Amino acid sequence: MSDNMKDKKFATKAIHLGRVPEDGTGSVTTPIYPSSTYRMDFPGDDSGYVYSRWSNPTRQALENTLAELENGKHAYFFSSGLAAVTAILHLLRPGDHVVAVSDLYGGTHRLFENLMRNFQISFSYVEGTDPDDFEKAIKDNTKLLWIETPTNPLLKLINIKAASAIAKKHGIITAVDNTFATPYIQRPLELGADIVHHSATKYLGGHCDVVAGAVVTRDDQLAEKLRFNQYAVGATAGPFDSWLVLRGIKTLAIRMERHSANALKVVEFLKTVDLVEKIYFPGFDGKPLQNEMSLPGGMISFTIKADLDTVKKFVMATEVFVLAESLGGVESLINHPALMTHSSIPKEIREEHGVTDGLVRLSVGIEDPGDLIADLKQAFESIR
Ligand SMILES: *Cc1c(COP(=O)(O)O)cnc(C)c1O
């Protein structure tokens, strides 16, 4: 990074950090370098780029930007969020134990239970809204504390500072999935976490047009291992996907402001609807955002007082909100967790965690808020 960017604010950095000057043409944006391999000056010359699985100029421009935006030191970019998760899990060895929050992204839960268990890694799940939950679940062989906050889909808040302090006391690494908040709203490394990771498919990319993931740390030793895992396993992101996320990040600050402002307006509307039973939204229960998030973000979950068929009818009745999985794009999406994103979790476990048949999750986009509210209003009318 050029020194003159060091003291600039987030929105400026997000736009300028990833600009790698290209002398030949004076290109203002970083080019996409598709080359898989790079010319050497002599056999074994590894002073520059060598092979794209190891490093690529477009991907590197993005990795440098992400490291800085998360206030970390090293960042690695992957072909999906779950590839990033896997690189972290590969820090573990057979016999190790992980304490994780229970309201977890479905795909992460599947990877833990259906794959990592085969390698003698064990997992305990705790609610985590009380930091004591973590303390109680830690065993002698616990090596990793796994936090997602806000959680998905119930948007509960975990206190990163308190949780990572507990982990540190026991010599345990804390990893935080920062997909929902993004570094614009919450920076876990500043709060004591060792690793922060993302599904860049969501807000970092921001346009529902790329699948990718990222891992960031300040710790040099962890970085060396994560970099080895990235290179040795090979789930790196390609140059075009890296470039899309580099472009997406330029508007991250303004998008997160608008996602949050729109979501607040939608929540105000939902409060007036008699068919709505419960609303889940960061800070909604009156508790402050624990000073860890600067804005609530764009995700809202709520329950509808109706049977499954009626709720299904509701999620199919919106026109601006698109019925689709995923989140974090400029376009608003509507999701039925029990039938969609969280269908792989057994019904009893799901319901025990509050993912009931009446639950609906919104990813509020950056469209005109009046249009979004009118759309939800007509969908509610359609089920009366
Ligand atoms: C989507 C998501 C993931 C997985 O990322 P992919 O890019 O789909 O592999 C992990 N964590 C959270 C919170 C997510 O929303």
Side-chain angles (χ1 to χ4, degrees):
M1 174 183 41
S2 56
D3 279 345
N4 60 3
M5 273 295 134
K6 272 261 181 263
D7 58 345
K8 299 288 188 286
K9 296 287 193 298
F10 189 101
T12 311
K13 285 182 176 177
I15 290 167
H16 290 283
L17 282 177
R19 291 201 307 107
V20 177
E22 204 266 309
D23 292 340
T25 62
S27 169
V28 169
T29 59
T30 298
I32 301 168
Y33 291 90
S35 194
S36 60
T37 189
Y38 292 83
R39 183 176 46 75
M40 295 182 175
D41 287 341
F42 53 87
D45 174 17
D46 62 358
S47 61
Y49 295 97
V50 174
Y51 183 61
S52 263
R53 172 155 42 73
W54 174 245
S55 60
N56 170 281
T58 314
R59 196 177 85 222
Q60 182 127 46
L62 172 61
E63 289 175 337
N64 293 346
T65 304
L66 284 170
E68 195 62 30
L69 293 182
E70 281 288 4
N71 204 352
K73 201 167 150 196
H74 313 273
Y76 304 108
F77 204 62
F78 294 84
S79 56
S80 73
L82 282 178
V85 166
T86 304
I88 301 167
L89 294 176
H90 280 159
L91 296 169
L92 302 171
R93 288 170 181 277
D96 287 351
H97 173 249
V98 180
V99 175
V101 296
S102 53
D103 193 21
L104 203 59
Y105 173 70
T108 305
H109 186 264
R110 181 175 52 216
L111 180 58
F112 284 2
E113 291 300 315
N114 299 0
L115 201 140
M116 294 311 291
R117 273 201 193 272
N118 298 342
F119 297 90
Q120 279 79 50
I121 311 285
S122 57
F123 298 87
S124 298
Y125 300 94
V126 298
E127 194 190 1
T129 45
D130 177 353
D132 260 1
D133 293 352
F134 296 113
E135 183 81 63
K136 285 182 197 138
I138 288 170
K139 304 185 198 175
D140 288 345
N141 59 341
T142 306
K143 292 286 157 62
L144 187 59
L145 195 62
W146 195 271
I147 296 173
E148 217 179 286
T149 181
T151 67
N152 177 19
L154 298 180
L155 305 166
K156 291 185 257 188
L157 300 180
I158 312 296
N159 189 307
I160 298 170
K161 206 171 191 171
S164 36
I166 290 168
K168 200 145 282 164
K169 197 176 72 191
H170 292 272
I172 297 167
I173 292 168
T174 303
V176 178
D177 186 331
N178 203 26
T179 299
F180 275 35
T182 82
Y184 184 66
I185 289 181
Q186 167 174 276
R187 284 181 294 281
L189 300 179
E190 291 176 0
L191 300 164
D194 301 291
I195 297 172
V196 56
H197 59 105
H198 285 271
S199 168
T201 313
K202 317 295 167 53
Y203 288 107
L204 296 184
H207 296 74
C208 292
D209 55 8
V210 59
V211 173
V215 176
V216 186
T217 185
R218 286 177 176 176
D219 186 300
D220 294 340
Q221 274 176 320
L222 276 176
E224 203 173 309
K225 290 178 190 165
L226 290 164
R227 174 133 175 75
F228 176 83
N229 292 353
Q230 181 193 38
Y231 172 68
V233 175
T236 49
F240 185 61
D241 287 355
S242 301
W243 185 84
L244 280 173
V245 175
L246 198 52
R247 182 168 74 160
I249 281 178
K250 289 180 203 261
T251 54
L252 183 63
I254 196 166
R255 282 190 285 111
M256 295 317 291
E257 293 282 351
R258 177 68 174 236
H259 283 298
S260 299
N262 277 3
L264 278 163
K265 287 180 184 151
V266 169
V267 163
E268 284 309 310
F269 162 70
L270 290 174
K271 278 195 214 166
T272 68
V273 180
D274 56 353
L275 286 166
V276 172
E277 198 166 30
K278 264 190 191 164
I279 300 172
Y280 302 94
F281 185 62
F284 181 72
D285 55 6
K287 288 185 201 145
L289 292 171
Q290 301 185 344
N291 298 328
E292 297 199 338
M293 288 171 76
S294 59
L295 288 170
M299 300 301 295
I300 304 168
S301 292
F302 62 95
T303 53
I304 299 180
K305 265 180 272 179
D307 59 22
L308 180 59
D309 280 339
T310 309
V311 178
K312 260 166 114 171
K313 205 174 143 198
F314 175 82
V315 298
M316 289 163 70
T318 55
E319 287 159 9
V320 182
F321 282 86
V322 181
L323 179 63
E325 298 206 349
S326 199
L327 59 111
V330 291
E331 49 283 276
S332 291
L333 303 180
I334 189 164
N335 166 46
H336 188 277
L339 293 175
M340 294 164 63
T341 45
H342 292 65
S343 61
S344 65
I345 303 172
K347 190 175 162 79
E348 317 81 65
I349 297 181
R350 208 177 1 90
E351 299 214 319
E352 197 182 304
H353 292 312
V355 184
T356 58
D357 287 347
L359 189 72
V360 172
R361 189 188 78 183
L362 302 177
S363 171
V364 180
I366 63 170
E367 301 95 334
D368 179 87
D371 286 338
L372 296 179
I373 289 166
D375 189 35
L376 293 171
K377 206 175 256 177
Q378 65 79 24
F380 279 118
E381 284 315 312
S382 79
I383 59 165
R384 281 187 194 281

